[in-house]
Each structure stands twice: as C-alpha cells, then as structure tokens.
mmCIF file of all heavy atoms in Angstrom:
data_model
loop_
_atom_site.group_PDB
_atom_site.id
_atom_site.type_symbol
_atom_site.label_atom_id
_atom_site.label_comp_id
_atom_site.label_asym_id
_atom_site.label_seq_id
_atom_site.Cartn_x
_atom_site.Cartn_y
_atom_site.Cartn_z
ATOM 1 N N PRO H 1 -8.851 0.918 -17.199
ATOM 2 C CA PRO H 1 -8.850 2.010 -16.186
ATOM 3 C C PRO H 1 -8.109 1.656 -14.921
ATOM 4 O O PRO H 1 -7.346 2.459 -14.370
ATOM 5 C CB PRO H 1 -10.354 2.270 -15.941
ATOM 6 C CG PRO H 1 -10.989 1.903 -17.250
ATOM 7 C CD PRO H 1 -10.217 0.725 -17.771
ATOM 8 N N LEU H 2 -8.345 0.438 -14.397
ATOM 9 C CA LEU H 2 -7.691 0.066 -13.136
ATOM 10 C C LEU H 2 -6.191 -0.005 -13.291
ATOM 11 O O LEU H 2 -5.431 0.369 -12.368
ATOM 12 C CB LEU H 2 -8.248 -1.273 -12.627
ATOM 13 C CG LEU H 2 -7.647 -1.816 -11.307
ATOM 14 C CD1 LEU H 2 -7.767 -0.765 -10.189
ATOM 15 C CD2 LEU H 2 -8.314 -3.106 -10.908
ATOM 16 N N GLN H 3 -5.697 -0.469 -14.420
ATOM 17 C CA GLN H 3 -4.255 -0.525 -14.637
ATOM 18 C C GLN H 3 -3.659 0.891 -14.727
ATOM 19 O O GLN H 3 -2.542 1.150 -14.238
ATOM 20 C CB GLN H 3 -3.942 -1.326 -15.923
ATOM 21 C CG GLN H 3 -4.240 -2.782 -15.789
ATOM 22 C CD GLN H 3 -3.961 -3.584 -17.037
ATOM 23 O OE1 GLN H 3 -3.589 -3.006 -18.086
ATOM 24 N NE2 GLN H 3 -4.103 -4.899 -16.960
ATOM 25 N N PHE H 4 -4.400 1.827 -15.346
ATOM 26 C CA PHE H 4 -3.939 3.222 -15.398
ATOM 27 C C PHE H 4 -3.910 3.785 -13.966
ATOM 28 O O PHE H 4 -2.969 4.447 -13.598
ATOM 29 C CB PHE H 4 -4.860 4.045 -16.287
ATOM 30 C CG PHE H 4 -4.471 5.493 -16.313
ATOM 31 C CD1 PHE H 4 -3.426 5.960 -17.101
ATOM 32 C CD2 PHE H 4 -5.171 6.438 -15.541
ATOM 33 C CE1 PHE H 4 -3.054 7.300 -17.118
ATOM 34 C CE2 PHE H 4 -4.796 7.789 -15.540
ATOM 35 C CZ PHE H 4 -3.770 8.211 -16.359
ATOM 36 N N LEU H 5 -4.976 3.509 -13.202
ATOM 37 C CA LEU H 5 -5.002 4.027 -11.815
ATOM 38 C C LEU H 5 -3.824 3.471 -11.022
ATOM 39 O O LEU H 5 -3.158 4.213 -10.275
ATOM 40 C CB LEU H 5 -6.320 3.588 -11.153
ATOM 41 C CG LEU H 5 -6.476 3.958 -9.696
ATOM 42 C CD1 LEU H 5 -6.441 5.436 -9.469
ATOM 43 C CD2 LEU H 5 -7.779 3.364 -9.127
ATOM 44 N N ALA H 6 -3.533 2.171 -11.192
ATOM 45 C CA ALA H 6 -2.418 1.575 -10.489
ATOM 46 C C ALA H 6 -1.093 2.248 -10.849
ATOM 47 O O ALA H 6 -0.196 2.389 -9.994
ATOM 48 C CB ALA H 6 -2.339 0.072 -10.781
ATOM 49 N N ALA H 7 -0.993 2.691 -12.106
ATOM 50 C CA ALA H 7 0.245 3.320 -12.562
ATOM 51 C C ALA H 7 0.483 4.691 -11.927
ATOM 52 O O ALA H 7 1.641 5.125 -11.787
ATOM 53 C CB ALA H 7 0.266 3.448 -14.083
ATOM 54 N N VAL H 8 -0.594 5.382 -11.559
ATOM 55 C CA VAL H 8 -0.421 6.746 -11.004
ATOM 56 C C VAL H 8 -0.449 6.770 -9.479
ATOM 57 O O VAL H 8 -0.056 7.766 -8.878
ATOM 58 C CB VAL H 8 -1.495 7.695 -11.568
ATOM 59 C CG1 VAL H 8 -1.397 7.803 -13.079
ATOM 60 C CG2 VAL H 8 -2.913 7.302 -11.153
ATOM 61 N N LEU H 9 -0.894 5.669 -8.839
ATOM 62 C CA LEU H 9 -0.878 5.646 -7.393
ATOM 63 C C LEU H 9 0.541 5.392 -6.868
ATOM 64 O O LEU H 9 1.397 4.866 -7.589
ATOM 65 C CB LEU H 9 -1.799 4.492 -6.906
ATOM 66 C CG LEU H 9 -3.309 4.720 -7.026
ATOM 67 C CD1 LEU H 9 -4.050 3.461 -6.621
ATOM 68 C CD2 LEU H 9 -3.732 5.914 -6.190
ATOM 69 N N PRO H 10 0.793 5.760 -5.598
ATOM 70 C CA PRO H 10 2.127 5.508 -5.023
ATOM 71 C C PRO H 10 2.438 3.999 -5.046
ATOM 72 O O PRO H 10 1.555 3.160 -4.804
ATOM 73 C CB PRO H 10 1.982 6.005 -3.580
ATOM 74 C CG PRO H 10 0.871 7.005 -3.619
ATOM 75 C CD PRO H 10 -0.084 6.500 -4.686
ATOM 76 N N LYS H 11 3.652 3.660 -5.350
ATOM 77 C CA LYS H 11 4.055 2.258 -5.329
ATOM 78 C C LYS H 11 4.137 1.759 -3.885
ATOM 79 O O LYS H 11 4.721 2.421 -3.027
ATOM 80 C CB LYS H 11 5.406 2.090 -6.017
ATOM 81 C CG LYS H 11 5.471 2.576 -7.465
ATOM 82 C CD LYS H 11 4.494 1.815 -8.329
ATOM 83 C CE LYS H 11 4.543 2.305 -9.775
ATOM 84 N NZ LYS H 11 3.412 1.770 -10.570
ATOM 85 N N PRO H 12 3.565 0.579 -3.615
ATOM 86 C CA PRO H 12 3.573 0.103 -2.217
ATOM 87 C C PRO H 12 5.009 0.002 -1.627
ATOM 88 O O PRO H 12 5.189 0.308 -0.444
ATOM 89 C CB PRO H 12 2.948 -1.286 -2.356
ATOM 90 C CG PRO H 12 2.063 -1.191 -3.534
ATOM 91 C CD PRO H 12 2.795 -0.280 -4.492
ATOM 92 N N GLU H 13 5.955 -0.365 -2.460
ATOM 93 C CA GLU H 13 7.342 -0.499 -1.953
ATOM 94 C C GLU H 13 7.954 0.836 -1.592
ATOM 95 O O GLU H 13 9.012 0.896 -0.950
ATOM 96 C CB GLU H 13 8.208 -1.253 -2.972
ATOM 97 C CG GLU H 13 8.292 -0.639 -4.359
ATOM 98 C CD GLU H 13 7.264 -1.222 -5.309
ATOM 99 O OE1 GLU H 13 6.191 -1.649 -4.875
ATOM 100 O OE2 GLU H 13 7.548 -1.215 -6.517
ATOM 101 N N SER H 14 7.300 1.969 -2.016
ATOM 102 C CA SER H 14 7.837 3.292 -1.669
ATOM 103 C C SER H 14 7.306 3.793 -0.352
ATOM 104 O O SER H 14 7.719 4.898 0.111
ATOM 105 C CB SER H 14 7.457 4.279 -2.800
ATOM 106 O OG SER H 14 6.060 4.593 -2.754
ATOM 107 N N LEU H 15 6.368 3.076 0.267
ATOM 108 C CA LEU H 15 5.689 3.563 1.477
ATOM 109 C C LEU H 15 6.405 3.209 2.759
ATOM 110 O O LEU H 15 6.008 3.664 3.830
ATOM 111 C CB LEU H 15 4.255 3.026 1.492
ATOM 112 C CG LEU H 15 3.352 3.360 0.330
ATOM 113 C CD1 LEU H 15 2.016 2.637 0.450
ATOM 114 C CD2 LEU H 15 3.139 4.852 0.215
ATOM 115 N N GLY H 16 7.413 2.356 2.689
ATOM 116 C CA GLY H 16 8.049 1.842 3.887
ATOM 117 C C GLY H 16 8.568 2.880 4.849
ATOM 118 O O GLY H 16 8.342 2.823 6.047
ATOM 119 N N GLU H 17 9.248 3.867 4.322
ATOM 120 C CA GLU H 17 9.880 4.865 5.173
ATOM 121 C C GLU H 17 8.885 5.744 5.906
ATOM 122 O O GLU H 17 9.154 6.219 7.012
ATOM 123 C CB GLU H 17 10.817 5.747 4.323
ATOM 124 C CG GLU H 17 11.701 6.664 5.138
ATOM 125 C CD GLU H 17 12.747 7.347 4.320
ATOM 126 O OE1 GLU H 17 12.734 7.224 3.078
ATOM 127 O OE2 GLU H 17 13.631 8.030 4.917
ATOM 128 N N THR H 18 7.727 5.970 5.303
ATOM 129 C CA THR H 18 6.739 6.896 5.905
ATOM 130 C C THR H 18 5.658 6.204 6.723
ATOM 131 O O THR H 18 4.896 6.860 7.418
ATOM 132 C CB THR H 18 6.055 7.723 4.805
ATOM 133 O OG1 THR H 18 5.342 6.853 3.882
ATOM 134 C CG2 THR H 18 7.075 8.537 4.023
ATOM 135 N N THR H 19 5.541 4.876 6.628
ATOM 136 C CA THR H 19 4.450 4.178 7.300
ATOM 137 C C THR H 19 4.779 3.922 8.758
ATOM 138 O O THR H 19 5.829 3.375 9.109
ATOM 139 C CB THR H 19 4.162 2.843 6.608
ATOM 140 O OG1 THR H 19 3.891 3.066 5.211
ATOM 141 C CG2 THR H 19 2.939 2.179 7.236
ATOM 142 N N LYS H 20 3.872 4.356 9.616
ATOM 143 C CA LYS H 20 4.030 4.216 11.075
ATOM 144 C C LYS H 20 2.829 3.429 11.628
ATOM 145 O O LYS H 20 1.714 3.522 11.113
ATOM 146 C CB LYS H 20 4.098 5.584 11.764
ATOM 147 C CG LYS H 20 5.070 6.559 11.116
ATOM 148 C CD LYS H 20 6.483 6.078 11.133
ATOM 149 C CE LYS H 20 7.436 7.094 10.461
ATOM 150 N NZ LYS H 20 8.819 6.567 10.357
ATOM 151 N N GLY H 21 3.056 2.670 12.692
ATOM 152 C CA GLY H 21 1.960 1.921 13.307
ATOM 153 C C GLY H 21 2.189 0.413 13.232
ATOM 154 O O GLY H 21 3.312 -0.034 12.988
ATOM 155 N N LYS H 22 1.125 -0.340 13.384
ATOM 156 C CA LYS H 22 1.224 -1.782 13.472
ATOM 157 C C LYS H 22 0.105 -2.494 12.703
ATOM 158 O O LYS H 22 -0.947 -1.927 12.474
ATOM 159 C CB LYS H 22 1.209 -2.237 14.931
ATOM 160 C CG LYS H 22 2.417 -1.742 15.744
ATOM 161 C CD LYS H 22 2.312 -2.182 17.187
ATOM 162 C CE LYS H 22 3.556 -1.679 17.951
ATOM 163 N NZ LYS H 22 3.527 -2.060 19.379
ATOM 164 N N THR H 23 0.414 -3.743 12.308
ATOM 165 C CA THR H 23 -0.616 -4.624 11.792
ATOM 166 C C THR H 23 -0.975 -5.627 12.896
ATOM 167 O O THR H 23 -0.177 -5.877 13.787
ATOM 168 C CB THR H 23 -0.140 -5.417 10.545
ATOM 169 O OG1 THR H 23 0.946 -6.245 10.914
ATOM 170 C CG2 THR H 23 0.282 -4.446 9.421
ATOM 171 N N ASN H 24 -2.204 -6.147 12.833
ATOM 172 C CA ASN H 24 -2.623 -7.168 13.763
ATOM 173 C C ASN H 24 -3.507 -8.146 12.960
ATOM 174 O O ASN H 24 -4.621 -7.786 12.552
ATOM 175 C CB ASN H 24 -3.438 -6.527 14.906
ATOM 176 C CG ASN H 24 -3.858 -7.566 15.966
ATOM 177 O OD1 ASN H 24 -4.095 -8.722 15.682
ATOM 178 N ND2 ASN H 24 -3.964 -7.108 17.184
ATOM 179 N N ILE H 25 -3.026 -9.310 12.704
ATOM 180 C CA ILE H 25 -3.722 -10.285 11.856
ATOM 181 C C ILE H 25 -3.839 -11.613 12.628
ATOM 182 O O ILE H 25 -2.856 -12.114 13.182
ATOM 183 C CB ILE H 25 -2.978 -10.537 10.509
ATOM 184 C CG1 ILE H 25 -2.559 -9.229 9.863
ATOM 185 C CG2 ILE H 25 -3.856 -11.353 9.573
ATOM 186 C CD1 ILE H 25 -1.692 -9.387 8.660
ATOM 187 N N GLY H 26 -5.026 -12.179 12.602
ATOM 188 C CA GLY H 26 -5.200 -13.436 13.321
ATOM 189 C C GLY H 26 -6.524 -14.120 13.015
ATOM 190 O O GLY H 26 -7.271 -13.694 12.134
ATOM 191 N N VAL H 27 -6.794 -15.193 13.762
ATOM 192 C CA VAL H 27 -8.022 -15.968 13.580
ATOM 193 C C VAL H 27 -8.664 -16.212 14.928
ATOM 194 O O VAL H 27 -7.985 -16.412 15.937
ATOM 195 C CB VAL H 27 -7.797 -17.301 12.825
ATOM 196 C CG1 VAL H 27 -7.111 -17.089 11.497
ATOM 197 C CG2 VAL H 27 -6.947 -18.281 13.669
ATOM 198 N N ILE H 28 -9.978 -16.202 14.915
ATOM 199 C CA ILE H 28 -10.777 -16.572 16.107
ATOM 200 C C ILE H 28 -11.577 -17.823 15.753
ATOM 201 O O ILE H 28 -12.321 -17.819 14.781
ATOM 202 C CB ILE H 28 -11.723 -15.420 16.532
ATOM 203 C CG1 ILE H 28 -10.903 -14.204 16.914
ATOM 204 C CG2 ILE H 28 -12.578 -15.889 17.734
ATOM 205 C CD1 ILE H 28 -11.783 -12.964 17.271
#
C-alpha cells in the first residue's frame, strides 16, 4: 500500500517551482 501511495503522490522533485518559504534546521 505505501508504495502505491508513493506512486500517486506528487513527486518531490516536481515541487520546486511552487514551494515558497524557508527551512530552519539546527541543534541546541
């Protein structure tokens, strides 16, 4: 089931043009 779900979801590499905002990753 998870592999089928992955096949129908948007491909991550297709999201670049529409994605807006920022990431913030770090350690405390």
Side-chain angles (χ1 to χ4, degrees):
L2 180 54
Q3 292 179 355
F4 177 80
L5 176 62
V8 299
L9 287 175
K11 301 299 181 191
E13 58 266 29
S14 72
L15 301 174
E17 189 171 7
T18 62
T19 304
K20 312 298 179 186
K22 294 179 180 179
T23 63
N24 183 329
I25 313 173
V27 304
I28 299 176

